[in-house]
Amino acid sequence: MNITHDIKQGAYSFTTQEGDFTDRFEIVFKPSTLSTDLISTSVINIYSDNVGININSSETINSIDVFDILGRVLYTKNNVNVKEFTINNLIKNNQPLIVKVKDVNGSVKSQKIVF
């Protein structure tokens, strides 16, 4: 039949008789080159001080989420649209928090801090 089907594009079905066929299918791998487009050059720094939780990014920040150690959301901000941001409306309790920052390029950094 000489049919080539890309199984990533959809399922392939066929009808056949019972029996063992050792030459029914051929798996073909097409070589491709790797691209460096997927490597992120974004740098996101997250740290706390007496003022609040500070975030600095080499790219524009898209969203910020802060979670407690149990996974409860303590703070969320979408459409931040700046490269530097300080969260100063959380009460400092010297507790571990997880800060998740996403920039406009899709790079995500999650970091544990104590605040």
Side-chain angles (χ1 to χ4, degrees):
M1 291 180 94
N2 259 350
I3 296 174
T4 302
H5 181 79
D6 185 353
I7 59 174
K8 289 182 182 178
Q9 302 299 320
Y12 178 74
S13 62
F14 64 97
T15 307
T16 186
Q17 298 176 352
E18 283 188 37
D20 291 332
F21 300 93
T22 59
D23 60 350
R24 182 181 296 169
F25 297 106
E26 181 179 335
I27 299 175
V28 178
F29 295 96
K30 293 186 179 181
S32 62
T33 58
L34 295 176
S35 172
T36 58
D37 294 342
L38 300 176
I39 297 175
S40 173
T41 57
S42 298
V43 176
I44 301 171
N45 295 313
I46 304 167
Y47 62 95
S48 64
D49 59 17
N50 290 333
V51 176
I53 300 170
N54 302 292
I55 300 144
N56 298 320
S57 176
S58 61
E59 301 296 328
T60 302
I61 300 167
N62 188 34
S63 65
I64 302 169
D65 297 301
V66 179
F67 306 92
D68 67 9
I69 204 70
L70 298 174
R72 295 179 293 201
V73 178
L74 302 179
Y75 180 86
T76 297
K77 180 150 180 78
N78 293 313
N79 302 315
V80 178
N81 296 326
V82 294
K83 292 185 178 183
E84 295 182 7
F85 192 82
T86 300
I87 302 168
N88 54 14
N89 57 349
L90 290 176
I91 298 171
K92 186 170 182 163
N93 288 329
N94 290 325
Q95 63 179 331
L97 301 175
I98 299 170
V99 180
K100 179 179 174 184
V101 179
K102 183 175 183 180
D103 70 18
V104 293
N105 294 333
S107 294
V108 177
K109 180 175 183 179
S110 295
Q111 182 174 323
K112 184 176 87 170
I113 63 166
V114 175
F115 184 74

